[in-house]
Amino acid sequence: MSELTEASVREEARAWLEANWDPNLRLVAWRNMLIDSGWGMPGWPKDWYGRDLPVGLVPVVGVELKRIGAVGVPHLGARMLAAATILGHGTDMHKEKFLRRILTGEDTWCQLFSEPGSGSDLAGATTRAELKGDKWVINGQKVWTTSAHLADYGLLLARTDWDVVKHKGLSYFIIDMRQPGVEVQPLRQMNDHASFHQVFFTDAKIAPEFLVSELGNGWAVATTTLMSERRNADSLRDYSQGSDRPGRIYEEEKAEMATAMEPYTWYPQRAGRVDLIVERAKATGRIADPAVRQEIAKLLILSKTAEWMARRARTAQESGKPQGPEGSLGKLVASHVARAAANVHTLITGADAMLTGADSPMDGVIAEILVSTPAISIAGGTDEIQRNIISERVLQMPKETRVDTDRPFRDVRRNTIS
Ligand SMILES: Cc1cc2nc3c(=O)[nH]c(=O)nc-3n(C[C@H](O)[C@H](O)[C@H](O)COP(=O)(O)OP(=O)(O)OC[C@H]3O[C@@H](n4cnc5c(N)ncnc54)[C@H](O)[C@@H]3O)c2cc1C
């Protein structure tokens, strides 16, 4: 087999795209072709819609897609967490049933982990799954569930055994969200979006084959989902908003953005919009202020080094090393960058940064940055939790004192009735 190089991958991807890209195709039909070719997710295994490309070569394909104006597979949201989890722990049936429709964008997913009494303490989840007859029966409540109102399927962490220590009594399921017994209620955020929800389960049902991995192994599976989430919180995310080119396929992609991607429209703002800083400083004349320039330089250095760190972690993971705590480092540094960027935006724009609506700076984008950046320090595990992980697993510092891991979960004192 000839050795893969940047040039050989570029040549092969370009040739395939030039022979096959057709903006007159329907979105799903095109994505199916892309998936079959392996160029949609070239870093995935060959057996499952990929090309086993080393991570360093994957961006080459993205550049070629962009060059020709071709639409790619959708990347944003819990669908990619679902894909990573299913690839890592799912059965062939799971992969067969779900992966393709994730990549075509036909199915939308949500992550049903956090509960009112267990966010950071995720292993304290009390939503219960009980096997009754030939079905798992689910009762309980989740909260903060992004895109739950649109989701076809959910990644559900539920308690199946109360008589073992808490991490061992959890199991991981794929739940059909479109069934009686699943009730979704939106929650309004301070940036005026309502992208997450509380979800109530009342005798919702799951067939046994939708248990992921072994019974009681839910914590290990959830860790894969979380690592993937933390890795994706880094600065390398592509928050593509779709193309402005004319044509049916672009219209369909835009419609997808307007619905399935709507809960994420503020995600670029929550990352701090470092990309706007220099442009804003020039437009407002603040670039001439040495104190502002100093802060901009500090931010750009922080942001660049964060990006390199994220790239290094990705390269290590995708060249075969298991995902480790470096996802936590990337996530923590992304929080720092977002906070620093919000500060610099404020320095540049001054009190007007608080304005929204017509005539506000950048049509309210600056204000949205200020009220959205706190989310990045919370979602996917708070900054404090990342610090705990880094101190215990990277720096090998003594573990946090625990009073809830030495007894069956049933006997752990907690503030929820279950
Ligand atoms: C934008 C956004 C989207 C989200 N989407 C989803 C989703 O789709 N699905 C989902 O399941 N969840 C989602 N979440 C929830 C998120 O994972 C939780 O909010 C997060 O894990 C924190 O849990 P909590 O809110 O219950 O805070 P708590 O756990 O109650 O924490 C409160 C405070 O105490 C601190 N703290 C807690 N424990 C410790 C400790 N051991 N050491 C030091 N400090 C500690 C925390 O850092 C925090 O400051 C989302 C959150 C956000 C902001």
Side-chain angles (χ1 to χ4, degrees):
M1 202 179 82
S2 61
E3 204 198 329
L4 285 173
T5 63
E6 198 175 313
S8 71
V9 171
R10 171 166 296 118
E11 196 185 326
E12 208 184 333
R14 187 175 289 187
W16 187 86
L17 285 166
E18 279 171 359
N20 292 283
W21 165 240
D22 177 359
N24 297 313
L25 286 170
R26 303 299 300 258
L27 183 62
V28 170
W30 160 246
R31 281 184 175 154
N32 271 317
M33 284 170 62
L34 193 61
I35 293 161
D36 287 333
S37 73
W39 292 117
M41 288 303 284
W44 278 19
K46 279 190 179 141
D47 287 349
W48 296 105
Y49 314 124
R51 290 188 154 246
D52 279 322
L53 275 199
V55 63
L57 296 178
V58 169
V60 175
V61 182
V63 170
E64 287 308 305
L65 281 162
K66 219 173 218 165
R67 191 186 64 80
I68 202 167
V71 174
V73 298
H75 278 277
L76 217 49
R79 70 183 77 216
M80 281 303 158
L81 307 185
T85 310
I86 291 169
L87 270 176
H89 300 274
T91 61
D92 281 357
M93 183 276 279
H94 296 152
K95 292 175 188 162
E96 202 71 64
K97 183 172 167 62
F98 298 118
L99 291 180
R100 179 179 285 276
R101 288 177 63 89
I102 285 174
L103 297 181
T104 58
E106 286 167 283
D107 287 342
T108 298
W109 287 69
C110 68
Q111 179 192 6
L112 298 155
F113 282 15
S114 306
E115 299 182 4
S118 63
S120 301
D121 180 27
L122 201 53
T126 57
T127 291
R128 54 173 76 224
E130 294 162 291
L131 192 58
K132 292 186 180 167
D134 64 347
K135 291 276 190 308
W136 287 97
V137 178
I138 314 298
N139 283 286
Q141 182 193 351
K142 297 287 173 178
V143 75
W144 295 95
T145 318
T146 306
S147 289
H149 61 313
L150 300 170
D152 300 291
Y153 297 100
L155 302 167
L156 174 71
L157 192 62
R159 189 157 301 281
T160 43
D161 191 344
W162 299 69
D163 294 314
V164 291
V165 293
K166 63 184 199 175
H167 291 81
K168 301 242 156 105
L170 294 165
S171 299
Y172 199 108
F173 298 90
I174 294 168
I175 187 166
D176 181 350
M177 293 291 287
R178 307 205 187 272
Q179 60 165 306
V182 177
E183 189 193 336
V184 175
Q185 290 179 358
L187 295 167
R188 177 92 26 206
Q189 303 142 217
M190 70 174 168
N191 62 7
D192 205 31
H193 292 268
S195 51
F196 37 75
H197 304 74
Q198 38 190 356
V199 181
F200 297 91
F201 300 102
T202 312
D203 291 336
K205 307 281 188 311
I206 302 178
E209 59 268 31
F210 295 112
L211 170 71
V212 181
S213 184
E214 319 266 305
L215 190 64
N217 198 31
W219 186 250
V221 185
T223 303
T224 299
T225 315
L226 289 172
M227 290 290 189
S228 176
E229 186 175 17
R230 284 162 197 172
R231 195 165 49 120
N232 289 335
D234 63 34
S235 53
L236 297 179
R237 299 295 289 136
D238 174 16
Y239 291 110
S240 159
Q241 296 298 310
S243 169
D244 283 333
R245 296 177 199 226
R248 185 165 71 175
I249 199 162
Y250 299 118
E251 291 304 318
E252 287 187 5
E253 192 195 23
K254 261 202 201 140
E256 176 184 75
M257 295 278 176
T259 50
M261 297 295 144
E262 196 281 330
Y264 306 98
T265 54
W266 57 281
Y267 273 42
Q269 280 66 266
R270 92 174 186 171
R273 295 304 302 265
V274 175
D275 59 313
L276 296 179
I277 293 278
V278 174
E279 178 196 318
R280 288 278 309 151
K282 283 184 185 160
T284 54
R286 298 286 282 150
I287 196 88
D289 182 328
V292 174
R293 291 169 71 94
Q294 187 71 15
E295 291 309 308
I296 293 175
K298 276 198 238 162
L299 172 65
L300 296 183
I301 291 166
L302 180 66
S303 164
K304 204 60 183 167
T305 48
E307 190 182 317
W308 287 332
M309 195 176 79
R311 277 188 204 281
R312 201 173 58 221
R314 255 181 209 200
T315 310
Q317 284 154 11
E318 296 190 28
S319 63
K321 294 192 184 149
Q323 282 188 28
E326 61 272 9
S328 295
L329 284 170
K331 178 159 193 308
L332 191 55
V333 87
S335 292
H336 278 289
V337 170
R339 254 193 313 275
N343 285 340
V344 177
H345 275 299
T346 313
L347 206 55
I348 292 170
T349 304
D352 285 356
M354 291 184 283
L355 300 177
T356 60
D359 297 338
S360 64
M362 297 200 70
D363 290 332
V365 165
I366 304 300
E368 190 163 274
I369 293 168
L370 303 194
V371 288
S372 298
T373 46
I376 205 164
S377 305
I378 303 171
T382 65
D383 285 1
E384 289 76 16
I385 294 303
Q386 307 315 321
R387 287 198 191 94
N388 283 350
I389 293 171
I390 293 162
S391 65
E392 290 176 14
R393 297 200 214 146
V394 180
L395 304 174
Q396 306 291 317
M397 288 165 69
K399 285 200 185 305
E400 195 186 1
T401 308
R402 306 298 306 240
V403 291
D404 56 353
T405 50
D406 60 346
R407 65 200 75 182
F409 186 68
R410 191 182 292 286
D411 300 333
V412 172
R413 298 199 70 180
R414 51 189 180 273
N415 65 355
T416 47
I417 299 163
S418 44

